[in-house]
Amino acid sequence: MKLNCPAEGKTIIFNNFFPKTLVLILFLLPAILPGITSAAVAKEMTLLESKPNRYENGDRIYEPMLAGVPVDSLSLDSLAKSLISQINADSIKNTMLELQSFKDRYTLLPSRRDIARWIAQKYTSYGFSSVEIDSFQGPVMDARNNSIPVTAWQGNVVATITGKKRPEEVIVIGGHYDSFSMTGVPPAPGADDDASGTAATMELARILVKNNFQPDVTIKFLAFGAEEMMSFEGVTGSKYYADMSRKNGMKIILMLNLDMIAYSPAPVNGNPIDISSYTGFEYLFGPAMNFTAKYSKLKATDGIKNLLGDSYSFTANGFPALFYMEHEFSPYYHSAQDLVEYCNMEYCTEAAKAAGSMLIWQSYLPGGINNFRITESGTGNSLVLDWDKPGGNDSLTYKLSVGVTSGVYSNTFTTPNNHYELGRLTEGTKYYIGIKAISPNGFESFVTEKSETPCSVPPAPLSLSQATLPHKLELNWQPNIDLDLLGYCIYRKDSTQQANALKINDGICSDTFFVDNTAENGKFYYYSIKAVDKDSNFSQSSREIKARIFSLDHGLLLINRTYDGSGSLEDPSYQQVDNYYKTLLQGLPSGYSILGKGVRISLLEMGMYSTVLIVHDAPLKFRSYCNYLEVEELKKYLDIGGKFIYLGSKPVAYFQSQIGTGADFYPGNFLFDYLKIKHYQEDKIAESNGAIALFSPYKDIRIDSVKAYRKDFHIFNIESLSARDEASQVYKYTGNFSSSLPQGNMNGLPVGVEYLGENYRTFVLSYPLYYIKQENAKDLINTIIQRINAPSGVEESGQAANVLSFELMQNYPNPFNPATTISYSIPKESFVELKVYDILGREVSTLVSSHMSRGEYKVQFNASSLPSGMYIYSIQAGEFRASKKLLLIK
């Protein structure tokens, strides 16, 4: 079981969640099977007609799932009751005891294969004809060994009942079979977490196969592996299965996750069970609540939204899902006391009934409505509705229900089409619109509800943001859903103190993007937009955003992420490190700026600078990490052509909170994809007095004897970094200790990686420069900056001092075949783009796109792949623009 991550050092407590008020549980049966005319049924129908058609659950109101379900629902209800009644507490308990008997089901134990085989054999013994162990290899964090990533076999057990009418649609139900304790001593037998969910799933499967259950859709019963590795960023079984399902086009219409469903110290009758829903699939909670009340002794409560667990992996891939979990959280979680003897088997059985009833009903009902869209007509009295047909099924009809309160509908319409216009509405009134699909046999899907307010004035535009593009300021936003929309007006302020924003676009913008060509480089602006319709009605303003040009031309940005230590030799303060780097960067030709202490790393802060340098020089008290959002911002910066340097302690630990002795990295990992590191290694006993350069112009670096905190002028906690093939190893580890001694066992290992790519450039060194001799450190920084800023494929003349103006020279030779040389000069540091276009203005080649220092340059253009004809080459360097023609004759 994996929960939302709490604050460090805090304990998650769930037993204080008060059950929300359930105002009414109501199931309507509007029709009676032919021949059934009993007075009891007639009396029940009379009572139902007098009750309000709604449920309340906190601030969310749901239409009863069974409201309006036709005659066939009676036979399905009888079938569900018959099947649910056979769920046996002793059978679930015996399965849990057998899983508990493995003593420890930790993800990386050799016994994981035996456990998977045992589960598969149990499914086969039930009578399943389709049972498989879906195995995969993937990096999994070894949480019991300092979270070291290892590539290991993992497996999901999958038992399948194939649907009779719509086999391509799939319901997944399951729990995870691995268990977890941090140390493994004593091990966690994992009775509640999650033998309970696995055993309940297996019991449901046993009952359905025993009764020759014939669902319309395919049902897959899964026992997931490696769920407990979710918070350690390992490859979990559910993530693997959900990702592959999406990749292979599987149509999963529902996923039910059963995880920790067996602990409850209270009596079962009326006891709550948490059912967590996910963003976009909230409509599932209402039916699940109803079925729980109808088929079990429990009461459904609205659990934590978007809860981590196996269901999360499915919703991340766009599949509807629900998470069933005990309301009062087990105190034996992840411990040796997580035993069957502390489980409430009656509670577990009722939880299985609650989930099982949802499974049975959904296996016959049509799939829910996808992509339900409501469009403003612009008239103020109508709305246009559109949705996707579930599975492209043309045999369905649709029921639309409309009201002014969620779940309380005053009008109902049916249509065979997936497009409908609602008219005669009142402007300014918020309407709630529910939609269901109806199958030919009369079964209805779960209701999907949306709300909208018809208005003659367009709504404010949403999701205004700055596009991640270099050298220009472009805004993007979502299109307004308004049929009479004319376009948008863009407004700008120079500061938050400016009273009124000024409109900066000419006329009306008809696109959902805008390029501000008047924005000054390096300056922050504040933007908002309004929508305008064809009657000249203006919307309210969108939210205001802060933006500036991502120019990559303002030199270096220093980001000091050193933990603010005591100031002792092995624990420098933030200010000590800050002052040290200010000294190193003095006289830097491009200049430098410093990101303020505590300011979050973002593209908005970095995008103006040609180079970003992160330093982290606390080798012993390493407490600062780059969080996930900041890593994503660094990716964006590099994607637009930024240059990045990391100098300091433990880069692997910094970028992914990694603590261990070594690991391989794989595609999808920031260290592998962007920093070009394929492996790291660390030995806390090894000591170093410097690093040896592997090629010129890099020079050896040595530890400053004044700052060294180990004897013989050494330091430790240095990570070895191995480069991918497209990058270069720059330095290797060295020390005065023999390689035969523990202190010398890292001698000769690589410690620096340089990548000089066409798209971006990076340099990583795992030595804290604060401890390096100052003259060595200053020379190293200058060498790195010169190399990562050197233009690729461009020859420099060396006459920088004589360059007084921007100039683009005529190419030579001209005409040419197939290559020619283009020369240009720039009098000051600038970002330079040199491109070639055909006579129609289409770009055919980018010759230069780089931050360049003052000087004269030459670049060769090879047109061997182009046809003969006239071409145009154009340069932009700062504010300078120029173009010339060249002629290719073959």
Side-chain angles (χ1 to χ4, degrees):
M1 165 64 199
K2 197 55 53 199
L3 303 172
N4 290 333
C5 297
E8 193 169 336
K10 298 291 182 66
T11 302
I12 301 179
I13 301 176
F14 286 80
N15 57 355
N16 290 326
F17 281 93
F18 290 99
K20 300 180 180 70
T21 304
L22 187 59
V23 173
L24 188 62
I25 297 183
L26 179 63
F27 294 89
L28 298 181
L29 300 175
I32 306 172
L33 281 170
I36 299 179
T37 58
S38 69
V41 172
K43 179 180 179 182
E44 177 67 8
M45 294 301 297
T46 302
L47 291 172
L48 289 174
E49 288 172 358
S50 66
K51 296 177 182 179
N53 183 20
R54 64 182 292 182
Y55 295 113
E56 283 192 31
N57 187 52
D59 59 352
R60 293 162 59 189
I61 306 173
Y62 300 91
E63 181 185 6
M65 212 301 294
L66 295 180
V69 173
V71 171
D72 284 355
S73 65
L74 291 175
S75 57
L76 180 52
D77 177 44
S78 298
L79 174 62
K81 286 179 178 176
S82 174
L83 295 170
I84 293 300
S85 67
Q86 298 177 52
I87 295 175
N88 186 278
D90 289 337
S91 178
I92 296 175
K93 182 178 181 179
N94 289 335
T95 301
M96 289 174 61
L97 285 169
E98 291 186 83
L99 286 167
Q100 180 179 292
S101 69
F102 285 97
K103 297 183 179 179
D104 193 357
R105 302 192 302 278
Y106 179 58
T107 300
L108 294 176
L109 293 178
S111 60
R112 65 188 181 278
R113 290 178 182 267
D114 296 330
I115 299 168
R117 293 190 190 105
W118 178 84
I119 295 172
Q121 289 167 0
K122 288 286 284 187
Y123 275 116
T124 301
S125 71
Y126 296 157
F128 276 85
S129 58
S130 175
V131 181
E132 63 174 324
I133 299 178
D134 185 11
S135 61
F136 60 97
Q137 295 279 345
V140 176
M141 299 297 179
D142 188 352
R144 291 182 180 174
N145 189 13
N146 294 322
S147 299
I148 296 174
V150 296
T151 301
W153 178 96
Q154 299 296 330
N156 298 321
V157 184
V158 187
T160 304
I161 298 177
T162 303
K164 297 302 179 182
K165 293 184 178 180
R166 308 190 313 273
E168 73 284 355
E169 296 182 18
V170 178
I171 300 174
V172 173
I173 183 171
H176 67 91
Y177 64 85
D178 62 317
S179 67
F180 181 76
S181 70
M182 181 59 76
T183 63
V185 182
D192 186 29
D193 186 16
D194 182 36
S196 63
T198 301
T201 300
M202 296 172 71
E203 175 67 2
L204 287 169
R206 182 185 72 84
I207 295 299
L208 296 185
V209 170
K210 175 185 175 183
N211 288 273
N212 193 29
F213 184 64
Q214 302 288 307
D216 284 356
V217 302
T218 296
I219 302 176
K220 290 186 177 291
F221 302 88
L222 266 90
F224 295 107
E227 186 272 353
E228 296 291 3
M229 294 299 101
M230 183 169 290
S231 68
F232 297 95
E233 299 185 7
V235 175
T236 66
S238 59
K239 184 180 189 310
Y240 165 77
Y241 193 85
D243 289 351
M244 292 303 295
S245 297
R246 171 59 61 194
K247 181 179 179 181
N248 296 330
M250 185 182 293
K251 297 179 181 178
I252 297 178
I253 62 173
L254 179 64
M255 190 275 170
L256 301 175
N257 180 27
L258 282 61
D259 194 344
M260 297 185 68
I261 56 170
Y263 179 78
S264 176
V268 168
N269 283 345
N271 203 351
I273 181 171
D274 284 358
I275 304 179
S276 295
S277 61
Y278 294 84
T279 299
F281 306 112
E282 293 89 349
Y283 65 87
L284 291 171
F285 178 80
M289 178 181 68
N290 297 340
F291 290 136
T292 299
K294 184 174 180 63
Y295 296 101
S296 80
K297 298 177 182 178
L298 305 180
K299 177 178 65 176
T301 56
D302 201 352
I304 298 174
K305 187 75 171 291
N306 298 324
L307 187 62
L308 287 178
D310 288 321
S311 43
Y312 186 90
S313 300
F314 285 82
T315 58
N317 279 278
F319 300 128
L322 288 172
F323 190 145
Y324 289 74
M325 188 178 71
E326 60 206 27
H327 181 72
E328 186 164 345
F329 202 68
S330 172
Y332 308 114
Y333 163 75
H334 287 184
S335 77
Q337 284 71 49
D338 189 4
L339 299 165
V340 172
E341 63 184 272
Y342 296 115
C343 293
N344 185 330
M345 293 314 305
E346 184 183 5
Y347 183 90
C348 184
T349 303
E350 295 304 315
K353 292 179 180 180
S357 59
M358 184 77 169
L359 171 71
I360 293 167
W361 273 84
Q362 183 61 78
S363 66
Y364 287 101
L365 302 180
I369 301 299
N370 293 321
N371 296 323
F372 182 22
R373 303 171 294 276
I374 303 179
T375 306
E376 287 271 10
S377 66
T379 63
N381 58 17
S382 66
L383 296 170
V384 178
L385 316 178
D386 293 277
W387 58 92
D388 294 346
K389 295 182 178 180
N393 194 337
D394 290 327
S395 63
L396 299 174
T397 55
Y398 304 94
K399 177 189 287 186
L400 301 173
S401 300
V402 184
V404 293
T405 303
S406 178
V408 181
Y409 304 125
S410 55
N411 293 287
T412 300
F413 315 90
T414 58
T415 176
N417 304 313
N418 58 331
H419 175 89
Y420 196 90
E421 182 170 358
L422 286 176
R424 299 183 180 179
L425 304 178
T426 302
E427 183 169 3
T429 299
K430 187 175 185 178
Y431 289 92
Y432 294 84
I433 304 164
I435 181 171
K436 297 179 179 181
I438 307 174
S439 65
N441 62 2
F443 284 122
E444 299 182 358
S445 71
F446 300 149
V447 66
T448 299
E449 183 185 88
K450 276 196 170 187
S451 61
E452 189 57 81
T453 303
C455 189
S456 56
V457 175
L462 299 175
S463 303
L464 176 62
S465 64
Q466 181 179 2
T468 309
L469 297 171
H471 322 305
K472 65 178 179 180
L473 203 159
E474 180 178 309
L475 306 173
N476 286 319
W477 57 90
Q478 286 185 2
N480 265 43
I481 309 301
D482 196 338
L483 292 182
D484 71 339
L485 181 73
L486 182 62
Y488 307 90
C489 292
I490 294 86
Y491 299 86
R492 188 182 78 186
K493 295 194 300 186
D494 291 349
S495 71
T496 53
Q497 285 73 40
Q498 184 176 328
N500 297 312
L502 300 177
K503 181 175 177 289
I504 59 172
N505 62 310
D506 295 329
I508 301 296
C509 176
S510 59
D511 294 311
T512 55
F513 70 91
F514 176 78
V515 177
D516 185 358
N517 291 316
T518 65
E520 297 178 20
N521 190 9
K523 184 175 181 180
F524 280 116
Y525 295 95
Y526 301 84
Y527 294 90
S528 60
I529 57 175
K530 293 182 180 181
V532 187
D533 66 17
K534 294 176 181 177
D535 295 323
S536 298
N537 294 312
F538 284 75
S539 73
Q540 295 293 316
S541 292
S542 69
R543 73 179 183 95
E544 186 176 82
I545 67 163
K546 183 179 180 181
R548 70 176 172 185
I549 297 173
F550 301 146
S551 57
L552 302 174
D553 64 355
H554 275 58
L556 181 142
L557 177 66
L558 171 65
I559 303 174
N560 182 4
R561 281 304 179 89
T562 303
Y563 179 78
D564 196 5
S566 64
S568 64
L569 198 59
E570 74 282 358
D571 189 25
S573 69
Y574 176 92
Q575 196 59 54
Q576 284 176 317
V577 174
D578 212 40
N579 292 338
Y580 179 73
Y581 278 92
K582 288 178 182 178
T583 301
L584 294 183
L585 296 174
Q586 281 179 359
L588 195 68
S590 61
Y592 72 94
S593 300
I594 299 176
L595 186 69
K597 184 179 180 181
V599 177
R600 188 176 72 87
I601 296 173
S602 70
L603 181 59
L604 189 63
E605 300 293 342
M606 298 184 293
M608 187 173 69
Y609 297 92
S610 65
T611 307
V612 169
L613 167 62
I614 291 182
V615 299
H616 193 299
D617 285 3
L620 296 183
K621 296 186 177 180
F622 193 94
R623 303 174 190 172
S624 298
Y625 300 96
C626 193
N627 65 41
Y628 170 77
L629 293 176
E630 291 179 324
V631 170
E632 292 302 307
E633 293 296 292
L634 280 170
K635 290 179 182 178
K636 294 176 184 177
Y637 173 72
L638 292 170
D639 285 340
I640 65 172
K643 301 172 182 70
F644 175 68
I645 305 167
Y646 180 94
L647 301 173
S649 301
K650 301 165 76 73
V652 172
Y654 178 77
F655 284 111
Q656 61 179 50
S657 305
Q658 184 100 6
I659 301 173
T661 59
D664 292 324
F665 300 116
Y666 300 88
N669 183 287
F670 175 71
L671 294 163
F672 183 90
D673 293 341
Y674 286 85
L675 302 187
K676 308 303 178 183
I677 300 170
K678 66 179 180 181
H679 177 82
Y680 99 102
Q681 185 175 333
E682 181 182 2
D683 191 311
K684 297 183 184 303
I685 298 177
E687 298 184 19
S688 173
N689 68 350
I692 297 174
L694 296 177
F695 60 86
S696 179
Y698 289 108
K699 300 175 183 178
D700 296 351
I701 56 176
R702 293 296 176 184
I703 301 300
D704 187 341
S705 60
V706 176
K707 294 181 179 177
Y709 49 84
R710 304 296 283 226
K711 66 179 182 178
D712 297 327
F713 314 128
H714 284 63
I715 63 173
F716 73 130
N717 268 358
I718 305 298
E719 293 176 342
S720 168
L721 309 172
S722 298
R724 292 175 56 191
D725 292 343
E726 61 265 46
S728 301
Q729 298 288 172
V730 185
Y731 282 97
K732 66 179 180 180
Y733 190 105
T734 190
N736 283 339
F737 295 95
S738 168
S739 298
S740 62
L741 296 175
Q743 294 93 331
N745 60 13
M746 285 185 66
N747 287 345
L749 293 180
V751 290
V753 176
E754 177 189 75
Y755 173 67
L756 303 180
E758 294 294 331
N759 43 357
Y760 58 84
R761 299 181 177 190
T762 61
F763 183 96
V764 184
L765 181 68
S766 57
Y767 278 74
L769 258 62
Y770 179 78
Y771 294 93
I772 300 296
K773 289 182 177 181
Q774 185 167 311
E775 61 271 21
N776 288 169
K778 189 175 184 67
D779 181 76
L780 174 62
I781 285 182
N782 286 331
T783 301
I784 296 170
I785 291 174
Q786 288 173 12
R787 286 180 62 81
I788 68 172
N789 282 293
S792 177
V794 180
E795 178 184 347
E796 188 173 0
S797 69
Q799 303 298 318
N802 298 325
V803 177
L804 301 177
S805 63
F806 289 102
E807 189 172 0
L808 177 65
M809 276 68 81
Q810 186 64 51
N811 65 300
Y812 180 83
N814 191 40
F816 69 99
N817 179 28
T820 187
T821 298
I822 299 172
S823 301
Y824 61 94
S825 60
I826 55 176
K828 62 180 181 179
E829 187 175 345
S830 305
F831 186 88
V832 178
E833 282 192 328
L834 179 61
K835 297 184 177 184
V836 181
Y837 302 87
D838 64 16
I839 199 65
L840 298 178
R842 296 173 297 195
E843 182 181 326
V844 297
S845 180
T846 297
L847 302 180
V848 180
S849 181
S850 180
H851 185 82
M852 305 180 73
S853 57
R854 177 182 180 182
E856 295 178 348
Y857 298 92
K858 295 180 180 180
V859 62
Q860 188 178 73
F861 171 49
N862 191 311
S864 57
S865 62
L866 298 174
S868 297
M870 184 71 72
Y871 292 86
I872 298 169
Y873 61 101
S874 178
I875 190 172
Q876 179 174 347
E879 300 300 319
F880 173 71
R881 291 177 173 83
S883 299
K884 292 184 181 294
K885 296 178 181 178
L886 45 75
L887 181 62
L888 172 63
I889 299 177
K890 292 186 174 181

